[in-house]
Amino acid sequence: MSNSLRQLDLNLLVTLDALLTEHHVTRAAERLHLSQPTVSLQLARLREFFKDPLLLPGPRGMRPTARADELREPLRQALSALQQAVAPSRPFEPAQSQQTWRAAAFDYGAFTVLLPALAGLRAAAPATRLAIMQVPPAQLAARAGQGDVDLAFHTGAEAPPDLRRRVLFTERYVLAGRAGHPRLRRRPTLAQFCRLEHAIVSPDGGGFHGATDAALAGRGLVRHVALSVPHFLALAAVLAATDLVAMVPSRLVRDNPALRTVEPPIDVPGFDMLMLWPERVHRDPAHQWLRGHIARSL
């Protein structure tokens, strides 16, 4: 901001706009709901600032100087832009929006949260766009603050604490295998469970130990983990094509006819699925609409 603008009370520009419209101090005062002496004092300050009389006495009020005529249109445009900048946010209209949203989600969040919301999103806001990205939890807060991520979906245990959050649902684990799996006709005993060949999801790659193994270790037991894959959706395909079994989040397999699920013989703690977003978009009408739509879709 220039030094000259810092020295000027911006309210004086509103008065100048009224004076250049009315060409009369009294009528400008009525327009501004101010007294005539107040507007006269403001005109004196404007003359001092611009080093120009701006308005001169005339037969029917006041006539603008050449400097005032130069100011008229730029001043009107500037005040209009300021008015738009400070006006309250308009209600979000999804049918007319061309918004682009960027959501961070791994395959489980994309499948269980974003996929159920997608059809309704396309129907209500057909010109909007949604980008789904994989962002490591350690980078979420920084990238959300920079504007790279508008919304994220993650488990409560790994969610950054400095993002706003909403619990979408609490997930539990079930034991899953292919439809017709001979060992899953009924709930297995704990000993039978440990003898099965298991697959596991290891997002970091190559791990063979998870929450189920920790629960078994508490009882002095181990299971045989024969396969480690990086994604839940890859795991579902493996289960459908082999005799491997896996402890999986229930929402991932509940509508899959190729898989059979039973209750596991051991309790494994579930997790909260969170929707996360940065403070910068918390009050944005478009973002509020998107968050509400996703929550209602589950």
Side-chain angles (χ1 to χ4, degrees):
M1 184 181 294
S2 66
N3 289 332
S4 60
L5 193 55
R6 289 193 183 99
Q7 298 168 6
L8 179 65
D9 180 353
L10 295 184
N11 288 316
L12 293 179
L13 296 180
V14 178
T15 298
L16 179 57
D17 180 61
L19 287 166
L20 294 178
T21 299
E22 299 292 346
H23 293 178
H24 198 284
V25 171
T26 300
R27 289 198 299 268
E30 293 173 352
R31 184 188 186 96
L32 297 169
H33 303 289
L34 297 173
S35 67
Q36 186 270 337
T38 296
V39 173
S40 294
L41 287 172
Q42 291 180 342
L43 176 57
R45 292 175 61 189
L46 286 162
R47 285 168 168 165
E48 181 180 357
F49 178 82
F50 285 105
K51 296 179 173 51
D52 188 274
L54 298 175
L55 291 159
L56 299 172
R60 298 181 181 178
M62 307 183 81
R63 52 187 176 83
T65 65
R67 178 69 171 120
D69 281 335
E70 290 177 359
L71 290 170
R72 188 191 312 273
E73 190 56 32
L75 176 61
R76 188 158 297 167
Q77 293 177 5
L79 290 176
S80 176
L82 282 172
Q83 182 64 37
Q84 292 180 22
V86 301
S89 298
R90 296 177 181 177
F92 178 64
E93 298 181 5
Q96 281 74 49
S97 176
Q98 297 183 359
Q99 187 96 11
T100 295
W101 288 296
R102 294 172 174 82
F106 288 93
D107 60 337
Y108 173 78
F111 184 80
T112 62
V113 178
L114 293 174
L115 183 59
L118 189 57
L121 178 63
R122 302 308 315 136
T128 62
R129 302 188 299 177
L130 175 66
I132 302 175
M133 308 173 295
Q134 291 190 351
V135 179
Q139 299 178 16
L140 269 179
R143 294 189 61 177
Q146 294 166 0
D148 296 337
V149 173
D150 300 310
L151 203 58
F153 303 91
H154 221 289
T155 59
E158 297 183 337
D162 43 357
L163 293 177
R164 285 188 173 262
R165 61 182 57 199
R166 176 175 178 173
V167 177
L168 295 175
F169 54 81
T170 298
E171 181 63 286
R172 66 186 187 91
Y173 284 97
V174 295
L175 179 61
R178 65 175 176 84
H181 194 297
R183 302 292 181 86
L184 296 184
R185 291 172 182 163
R186 62 183 64 86
R187 182 186 187 187
T189 66
L190 193 53
Q192 291 169 338
F193 176 84
C194 292
R195 288 196 296 268
L196 291 169
E197 290 193 318
H198 291 254
I200 191 173
V201 171
S202 176
D204 296 331
F208 289 90
H209 189 277
T212 300
D213 302 284
L216 288 171
R219 298 192 182 194
L221 300 171
V222 295
R223 62 174 177 164
H224 176 47
V225 179
L227 178 69
S228 172
V229 297
H231 305 295
F232 278 110
L233 296 185
L235 177 63
V238 166
L239 295 181
T242 70
D243 277 342
L244 292 171
V245 299
M247 292 286 286
V248 296
S250 63
R251 286 173 178 259
L252 190 69
V253 294
R254 64 184 178 184
D255 297 321
N256 190 333
L259 300 179
R260 175 176 174 78
T261 63
V262 296
E263 292 298 317
I266 186 169
D267 290 330
V268 176
F271 57 87
D272 288 337
M273 189 64 184
L274 304 182
M275 178 164 57
L276 307 162
W277 63 94
E279 186 66 31
R280 65 179 176 82
V281 295
H282 178 62
R283 295 171 181 82
D284 177 62
H287 202 277
Q288 290 177 336
W289 179 87
L290 179 64
R291 298 196 306 263
H293 171 77
I294 289 173
R296 290 189 298 271
S297 301
L298 301 177

